[in-house]
């Protein structure tokens, strides 16, 4: 895993707001569900990446990690 970009919850909300505005204003209505599907697809791996980030911060002897890193 590479080092993640730093950001805040506000940054994420702003980015999602910009996606919503772009989809609403630039994507034909019949394609808007597919455009939101692209956003969902991009977010699919986020929970696993967060878990991997947290696991990387735990000490090597932690029972949860067992000293191995997960690959997704």
């Amino acid at each position: 895993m590479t080092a993640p970009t730093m950001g805040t919850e506000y940054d994420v909300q702003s980015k999602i707001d910009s996606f919503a505005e772009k989809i609403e204003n630039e994507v034909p209505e019949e394609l808007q569900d597919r455009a939101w599907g692209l956003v969902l697809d991009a977010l699919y791996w986020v929970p696993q990446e967060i878990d991997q980030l947290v696991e990387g911060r735990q000490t090597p002897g932690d029972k949860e990690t067992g000293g191995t890193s997960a690959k997704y």
Side-chain angles (χ1 to χ4, degrees):
M1 179 173 85
T2 60
T5 301
M6 301 294 284
T8 66
E9 183 178 352
Y10 175 79
D11 296 333
V12 173
Q13 289 175 348
S14 294
K15 186 56 106 173
I16 290 174
D17 288 345
S18 72
F19 291 150
E21 186 175 326
K22 182 173 185 73
I23 290 170
E24 183 178 326
N25 294 330
E26 299 179 26
V27 178
E29 189 172 341
E30 65 273 10
L31 296 176
Q32 288 182 3
D33 286 343
R34 291 182 67 191
W36 280 115
L38 292 171
V39 175
L40 286 173
D41 287 347
L43 294 173
Y44 180 80
W45 293 105
V46 171
Q48 291 89 340
E49 290 288 335
I50 291 170
D51 289 345
Q52 191 174 15
L53 177 68
V54 171
E55 287 175 4
R57 297 268 314 183
Q58 294 175 349
T59 59
D62 281 351
K63 292 180 182 175
E64 289 184 46
T65 60
T68 61
S69 63
K71 299 261 183 194
Y72 297 111

